[in-house]
């Protein structure tokens, strides 16, 4: 058998996974930040070494190249006509950046380098050049290179020395888009979100398994259920299923034993009852003979009633789809064929309440046609027994029975109304217990199990049995869910 992890073990797995994902996301984030800082530092070092190459003709730093402009291009640059230069981007956005060399304490030379940065996307914010007032020209050029490397724009950079010579600085390897490291911070966020989503999905899946199992147990009486439950999930859910399976096995064994005992008693009492009937027939006194026979018949009927109640408790019938209206009409027709005062009101077609839609919260009410079918999932034999008991009660205690159906999209109701007077609705709830009968019913044949059987069948279908006063007497309402 496969070993399942417990909720505590799953919690440890989730906590360890969350911790590992957090470390991984933090490492990716920190690595991306360090790579970016290294890129900016490299640009600053290259910019600082650029000053010596421009002023003194030294070799430029690795990754930078200096190209002297032709006289015609230099004249255009002096005139500020940067857009006319060959290779200039269009449109041409020009950012002028002066680089001055301090000559003494508190003094800055007016001579120095002048940079013109041409771009078709942006003008660089020179206010971001964080350099002190007494910084050297090398530091200033390093700050400019960092500023250029901070944006992915591939600009055209021109520089003019204090001698008036113009140079084009090719530094795509330093501040170009291709030189910038890939930003991995999005992957860090994605990893953290993926770990969080995985944890939530795992927790939700485990919770759904418990909820699904609880719904199966809750609807067991309504829709039937397997003899043994098999679950997939943590060890606690498996232990719960094993405990419930053991409980169901004990419950079935007890009910089967009870039914076996009652069946055996009924069978064993059959022979003595037959002998008693034969001996009672030999009694010469007709009145005494009839009393003996009546007692024997009542004893047999009581045993049969107890067996019927036990069968309803065992709930061995599987539910299936049926037409409640057809079932009730057939039962009423059987009573009418036997000459019983039972009526079915086909004209009482109440408005059908529909379910609310995604566009409206109110429930539409539509009057259904007379010949409509009320479909639902139920146990037909058990339901037939319950309706029969209600009609029999109405006939015994109220002389007549009026049967009516009501239905919504979620609930179906069977209403059986008698003509036995008013004021008994509050007393009927106490008569749902086994062998309980109302006052003044000693002369009426019965054993106090009819309403108990109806209530048990209603509970097995997820419904209820209630009573309410009506215009003519007492109305029994059997409510059954249709879903």
């Amino acid at each position: 058998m496969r070993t399942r992890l417990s909720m505590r073990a799953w919690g440890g797995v989730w906590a360890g996974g969350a911790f590992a994902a957090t470390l991984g996301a933090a490492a990716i984030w920190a690595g991306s930040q360090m790579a970016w800082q290294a890129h900016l530092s490299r640009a600053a070092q290259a910019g600082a070494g650029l000053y010596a190459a421009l002023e003194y003709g030294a070799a430029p730093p690795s990754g930078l190249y200096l190209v002297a402009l032709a006289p015609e291009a230099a004249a255009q640059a002096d005139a500020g006509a940067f857009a006319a230069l060959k290779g200039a981007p269009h449109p041409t956005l020009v950012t002028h950046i002066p680089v001055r060399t301090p000559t003494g304490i508190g003094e800055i030379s007016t001579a120095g380098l002048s940079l013109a940065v041409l771009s078709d996307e942006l003008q660089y914010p020179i206010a971001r050049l964080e350099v002190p007032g007494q910084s050297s020209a090398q530091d200033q050029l390093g700050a400019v290179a960092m500023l250029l490397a901070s944006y992915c724009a591939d600009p055209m950079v021109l520089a003019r020395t204090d001698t008036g010579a113009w140079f084009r600085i090719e530094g795509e390897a330093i501040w170009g888009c291709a030189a910038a490291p890939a930003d991995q911070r999005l992957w860090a966020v994605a990893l953290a979100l993926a770990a969080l989503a995985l944890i939530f999905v795992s927790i939700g899946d485990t919770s759904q398994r418990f909820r699904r199992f609880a719904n199966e147990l809750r609807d067991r009486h309504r829709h039937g259920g397997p003899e043994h439950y098999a679950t997939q999930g943590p060890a606690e859910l498996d232990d719960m299923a094993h405990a419930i399976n053991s409980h169901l096995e004990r419950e079935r064994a007890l009910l089967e034993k009870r039914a076996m005992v009652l069946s055996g008693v009924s069978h064993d009492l059959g022979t003595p009852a037959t002998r008693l009937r034969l001996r009672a027939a030999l009694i010469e006194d007709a009145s005494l003979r009839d009393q003996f026979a009546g007692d024997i018949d009542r004893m047999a009927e009581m045993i049969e009633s107890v067996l019927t109640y036990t069968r309803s408790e065992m709930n061995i019938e599987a539910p299936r789809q049926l037409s409640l209206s057809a079932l009730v009409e057939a039962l009423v027709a059987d009573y009418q064929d036997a000459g019983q005062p039972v009526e079915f009101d086909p004209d009482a077609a109440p408005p059908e309440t529909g379910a609310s839609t995604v566009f409206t919260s109110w429930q539409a009410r539509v009057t259904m046609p007379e010949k409509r079918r009320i479909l639902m999932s139920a146990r037909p034999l058990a339901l037939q027994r319950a309706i029969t008991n209600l009609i029999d009660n109405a006939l015994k205690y109220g002389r007549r029975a009026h049967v009516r159906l009501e239905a919504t999209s979620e609930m179906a109701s069977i209403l059986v109304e008698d003509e036995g007077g008013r004021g008994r609705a509050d007393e009927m709830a106490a008569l749902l217990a086994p062998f309980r009968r109302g006052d003044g019913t000693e002369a009426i044949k019965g054993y106090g199990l009819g309403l108990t059987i109806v209530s048990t069948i209603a509970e097995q279908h997820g419904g209820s049995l209630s009573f309410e006063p009506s215009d003519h007497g007492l109305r029994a309402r059997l409510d059954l869910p249709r879903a």
Side-chain angles (χ1 to χ4, degrees):
M1 185 178 65
R2 183 171 59 90
T3 303
R4 302 185 183 182
L5 295 179
S6 64
M7 290 293 294
R8 177 177 295 181
W10 275 115
V13 171
W14 293 334
F19 182 72
T22 302
L23 287 182
I28 295 175
W29 187 284
S32 180
Q33 289 289 94
M34 292 176 61
W36 181 253
Q37 293 298 327
H39 168 64
L40 295 182
S41 298
R42 178 168 174 260
Q45 293 176 0
L50 181 61
Y51 180 78
L54 289 172
E55 286 292 333
Y56 309 117
S62 176
L64 293 178
Y65 302 93
L66 299 179
V67 178
L69 294 185
E72 181 180 355
Q76 292 174 340
D78 287 332
F82 295 104
L85 294 176
K86 183 179 179 180
H90 296 282
T92 306
L93 302 178
V94 183
T95 304
H96 294 280
I97 305 177
V99 177
R100 297 291 180 260
T101 303
T103 57
I105 300 177
E107 297 180 359
I108 298 179
S109 173
T110 57
L113 298 175
S114 293
L115 299 180
V117 183
L118 313 182
S119 173
D120 59 350
E121 298 180 2
L122 58 89
Q123 283 188 319
Y124 289 85
I126 59 176
R128 292 187 54 185
L129 295 175
E130 299 178 358
V131 291
Q134 300 297 321
S135 297
S136 63
Q138 290 88 341
D139 294 336
Q140 295 179 45
L141 275 178
V144 171
M146 286 182 59
L147 178 65
L148 297 179
S150 300
Y151 297 88
C152 178
D154 290 333
M156 179 179 180
V157 182
L158 303 176
R160 186 180 65 178
T161 64
D162 53 0
T163 62
W166 280 94
F167 293 90
R168 177 176 177 176
I169 305 173
E170 296 182 358
E172 288 78 8
I174 301 298
W175 51 66
C177 293
D183 191 355
Q184 304 292 337
R185 292 177 297 178
L186 185 59
W187 290 106
V189 175
L191 176 61
L193 292 179
L196 185 63
L198 181 61
I199 292 175
F200 272 109
V201 169
S202 300
I203 294 176
D205 179 70
T206 302
S207 176
Q208 182 62 28
R209 293 181 189 274
F210 277 95
R211 186 180 298 110
R212 188 184 304 115
F213 186 56
N215 291 335
E216 290 178 359
L217 293 178
R218 187 183 300 110
D219 296 337
R220 178 180 177 84
H221 287 301
R222 292 174 53 190
H223 305 299
E227 293 186 359
H228 297 277
Y229 286 96
T231 61
Q232 294 181 352
E236 287 81 358
L237 183 60
D238 190 52
D239 294 340
M240 186 184 302
H242 281 302
I244 292 175
N245 289 334
S246 300
H247 171 74
L248 292 177
E249 290 177 359
R250 291 193 299 268
E251 186 182 55
R252 282 193 295 268
L254 290 175
L255 290 176
E256 291 174 359
K257 185 177 180 180
R258 183 191 306 175
M260 185 183 301
V261 170
L262 291 175
S263 298
V265 170
S266 176
H267 179 270
D268 293 341
L269 287 178
T271 301
T274 302
R275 289 199 299 264
L276 287 175
R277 286 191 179 93
L278 293 175
R279 292 171 182 172
L282 300 177
I283 299 177
E284 297 181 357
D285 189 343
S287 176
L288 182 60
R289 184 173 61 248
D290 293 340
Q291 291 177 2
F292 265 100
D295 290 340
I296 294 172
D297 291 339
R298 281 192 294 272
M299 180 182 65
E301 291 173 357
M302 182 180 296
I303 294 174
E304 182 62 28
S305 298
V306 173
L307 286 174
T308 301
Y309 173 63
T310 304
R311 293 190 193 100
S312 66
E313 273 192 327
M314 292 180 66
N315 191 18
I316 58 178
E317 185 183 5
R320 64 181 180 87
Q321 192 79 3
L322 57 85
S323 172
L324 182 62
S325 52
L327 177 63
V328 174
E329 288 179 1
L331 287 176
V332 172
D334 291 340
Y335 278 96
Q336 292 175 346
D337 292 341
Q340 298 289 338
V342 181
E343 299 176 358
F344 179 68
D345 191 357
D347 296 329
E352 185 84 11
T353 302
S356 58
T357 67
V358 296
F359 302 103
T360 59
S361 60
W362 59 276
Q363 294 178 325
R365 296 177 65 82
V366 181
T367 301
M368 302 299 292
E370 176 182 339
K371 295 299 183 180
R372 59 173 182 156
R373 293 193 305 164
I374 301 176
L375 301 178
M376 61 179 298
S377 178
R379 298 173 174 85
L381 296 180
L383 195 56
Q384 181 177 353
R385 186 181 303 119
I387 299 172
T388 301
N389 285 357
L390 291 178
I391 295 177
D392 289 341
N393 269 18
L395 293 176
K396 284 193 295 184
Y397 301 105
R399 299 186 298 275
R400 301 182 67 86
H402 301 271
V403 183
R404 185 160 56 93
L405 291 178
E406 291 181 356
T408 66
S409 60
E410 298 179 353
M411 189 72 66
S413 300
I414 305 169
L415 292 86
V416 180
E417 183 178 347
D418 61 25
E419 295 182 358
R422 305 182 181 181
R424 296 185 298 154
D426 297 338
E427 304 172 2
M428 298 302 295
L431 303 182
L432 299 181
F435 304 107
R436 294 291 300 273
R437 305 189 68 192
D439 298 334
T441 59
E442 293 81 3
I444 301 177
K445 184 179 179 181
Y447 306 101
L449 286 176
L451 293 181
T452 305
I453 294 174
V454 177
S455 178
T456 301
I457 294 174
E459 292 177 356
Q460 290 172 354
H461 287 79
S464 62
L465 174 64
S466 61
F467 298 88
E468 57 191 23
S470 65
D471 296 336
H472 304 284
L474 186 69
R475 182 187 299 118
R477 175 183 289 272
L478 179 60
D479 295 323
L480 302 172
R482 298 180 64 179

